[in-house]
Each structure stands twice: as C-alpha cells, then as structure tokens.
Amino acid sequence: PTPPAPLMSVKRVLFVCTGNSCRSVMAQYLLQHLLQRVGGPTMTVESAGVFAIDGMTPTRETQRVLQDAGITCAGHRARTLTSEMAEAADLILVMEPFHVEEILQRVPSAKGKVHLLRSYGLSKAEEAAAAQQGISDPIGKPLEVYEVCFAQIREAVERVAKSLGACPT
C-alpha cells in the first residue's frame, strides 16, 4: 500500500461504507467530535456509501452508540458516493477491502488516497493483520454488534485524529 498522505495537507476526510447509515456515520461524527473537543485542525469530515439510499437516516443502533459516547448524528442523511466526493477528498477511509475496490473502479484517480480505516497508520506487520479483518457491517444485527463495531471504529479514528494533529485523551 502507498504511504499515507502528509497529514498536515489533509483538509477533507471522507469515510465510506456500504449504506452510509452505520459505520461511516459513526466514524464521521466521532472524528468531528474529537477535532472539536481538542480545537484540532479545521477540516471537512464527511461520509458516503457505495450503495447508499440517499436521504436514509442512520439506524437506531448507530444513533444509540453515538449518543452513549456523547455524540449526536440527528441531522445525518445517507449519501451515495459520487466521483466528485472522492476527487474532492484528501483522505478516503473505508471499512472493508471491497470498498477500496469499488471506489477505485469508479474513480481510478483516487488511488493514492483510499485506505482501510482499521489498518491506517499502523506498522506494516499490524497493518497486514488488521487489513484481513476490516470492520464488519452491523446492519440488521443487535445493539451489542454495533457496540463492538463502534469500539473498532473508535480505536482507528482516534489513531487518525492523533495523526491529524488532534490528540484525544
């Protein structure tokens, strides 16, 4: 994989999952929350789904796990990933290997900036193990599955936030 972009040049982060109602929503609102909390760098944080139904609200479980973390995503509406979104982003973080493939098939010019969230910023050895796992889609599963999913996203997003100059405690 190509090395991460120089993070100080990152002004627009895009999280991508399948439907933009669970994982990418959690990641987007968590990173926004962390950046606001520490007065971190000003950047645009967005999310989209490769197969989203435009206008759909986040699942109740997604809203609940974010609420439990003190974060609201009440105004969020799902968006389908467009080539314009991918081209405008400086860093695109996805949940599963198939999201990388889907984005690169649609927007080949995004090649250097699409990374798996779970392995982003890890050492090469750690990266290989994390890349095998990805972050599984919790849609339609019990709240406990969403909680595990959010814990995986939180660990990765906090690492991303640190690398972007926001150091959560």
Side-chain angles (χ1 to χ4, degrees):
T2 53
L7 293 175
M8 291 307 139
S9 67
V10 173
K11 298 283 181 243
R12 185 177 292 263
V13 177
L14 178 65
F15 291 102
V16 177
C17 69
T18 306
N20 194 214
S21 64
C22 304
R23 296 170 291 174
S24 59
V25 177
M26 292 180 204
Q28 173 190 350
Y29 286 87
L30 177 59
L31 182 57
Q32 286 173 340
H33 176 77
L34 294 173
L35 291 171
Q36 287 166 354
R37 201 173 81 200
V38 298
T42 304
M43 62 183 61
T44 303
V45 182
E46 299 175 310
S47 63
V50 292
F51 301 119
I53 298 169
D54 288 322
M56 205 168 103
T57 59
T59 64
R60 282 193 306 278
E61 296 84 0
T62 297
Q63 293 179 50
R64 171 79 184 275
V65 296
L66 285 170
Q67 193 173 30
D68 289 350
I71 302 167
T72 181
C73 65
H76 181 82
R77 295 296 175 268
R79 303 183 316 157
T80 302
L81 178 73
T82 64
S83 54
E84 293 79 18
M85 286 178 206
E87 287 163 4
D90 298 309
L91 178 61
I92 303 171
L93 297 167
V94 304
M95 305 300 151
E96 297 178 74
F98 99 85
H99 296 132
V100 174
E101 296 162 18
E102 189 65 36
I103 292 169
L104 294 180
Q105 188 176 345
R106 296 181 193 188
V107 190
S109 62
K111 188 168 174 48
K113 57 186 175 181
V114 182
H115 305 274
L116 276 170
L117 173 60
R118 191 139 183 215
S119 60
Y120 187 77
L122 294 175
S123 70
K124 289 293 171 211
E126 294 170 316
E127 188 177 311
Q132 295 307 308
Q133 299 167 344
I135 297 172
S136 298
D137 196 344
I139 193 89
K141 298 193 173 79
L143 181 63
E144 297 75 32
V145 175
Y146 279 80
E147 290 167 344
V148 169
C149 179
F150 184 65
Q152 293 171 344
I153 288 170
R154 175 177 286 225
E155 180 186 331
V157 167
E158 287 179 350
R159 189 173 54 248
V160 170
K162 270 189 186 126
S163 68
L164 292 170
C167 297
T169 52

